[in-house]
Amino acid sequence: MSLTNDFAIGFFTFFGIISIVAALFITRQKNVFYAAIGLVFVGISVAVMIALLNTSYSFYSVFHILLYVGSTVVFLAVSLVMFRGLDVKEIKVPWASLVALIVGVLIFLDLVVSFYSITPAAAISSFSLQTLANEILQNYWFPAIIIIIALLTTMIEAITLARRD
Amino acid sequence: MDALLSYYGLVIGVILGSIGIYGLLNSKNIVRILLSSEIIFNSAILLVFSASSLLGRTYLPIVFSIFAVSMGLVEVVVAFAAIILYYRNKNSLEVD
């Protein structure tokens, strides 16, 4: 295994640990503003891990940081400033960790069964923005229209909320 | 190496999903519930890319995730509008 591969595995493990720690921080933090900041670290770590999976996925990785981290999470964090009393009352649900563990094990077993007999692909075709655009416009035009309408209604909703009367 | 990273990605995705479900069940605060659902969303995206990397797909996960993130943005804005209305009515972020 070359040095570059070792670096990639090391980086992947590092950002995987960061994402898990940030996710635990979100679930344990009493102040939800800081929890929203933790979501930035989860988003960036996931984007880096996706980019490390394959260079063809780098385009989406940039998209994830720009749109998800840059707008969704920042919107959440900034909007939370409007509220007073952001501290969360701690509650203890004894069966929550058990249910989370069972669901995690079930998903893991499902993945093991699904991918056990599959031989990993040798290589992935290189990414082309033109092919992606053709793919969306020819095969996925209907979901694209739905997304456009949904974003438009979101904009109308934001304007309605911003008006005080 | 790609296959090894993909397997790592699947494991990390499952762990993130479990943490998100734990946060979802273990909180009464409406904002933390939203944040926990965002952790699950991130884990789902990571699982999709890891699985697609194993299967050798290039464009399918990218198209799927672009649509998912756009809908996620819409979902967050709509959920936040509901939270603002809830806070105006109840003057609290705790759910019963």
Side-chain angles (χ1 to χ4, degrees), chain A residues 132 135-136 140, chain B residues 49 58-68:
Chain A
L132 178 68
E135 190 85 8
I136 290 174
Y140 300 101
Chain B
F49 272 97
T58 307
Y59 293 100
L60 196 65
I62 296 176
V63 172
F64 172 81
S65 303
I66 285 175
F67 288 145

Side-chain angles (χ1 to χ4, degrees), chain A residues 71-85:
Chain A
S71 84
T72 310
V73 179
V74 170
F75 166 78
L76 260 175
V78 171
S79 307
L80 282 172
V81 179
M82 290 191 298
F83 299 110
R84 271 173 292 157

Side-chain angles (χ1 to χ4, degrees), chain A residues 29 57 68 121 124 128 157, chain B residues 32 38 54 57-59 69 81:
Chain A
Q29 177 56 242
Y57 298 151
Y68 185 76
I124 293 179
S128 154
E157 184 195 327
Chain B
R32 193 190 263 180
E38 291 298 316
L54 277 174
R57 301 291 181 102
T58 307
Y59 293 100
V69 166

Side-chain angles (χ1 to χ4, degrees), chain A residues 14-27:
Chain A
F14 175 70
F15 281 102
I17 291 169
I18 285 184
S19 66
I20 290 169
V21 170
L24 285 171
F25 176 78
I26 291 168
T27 55

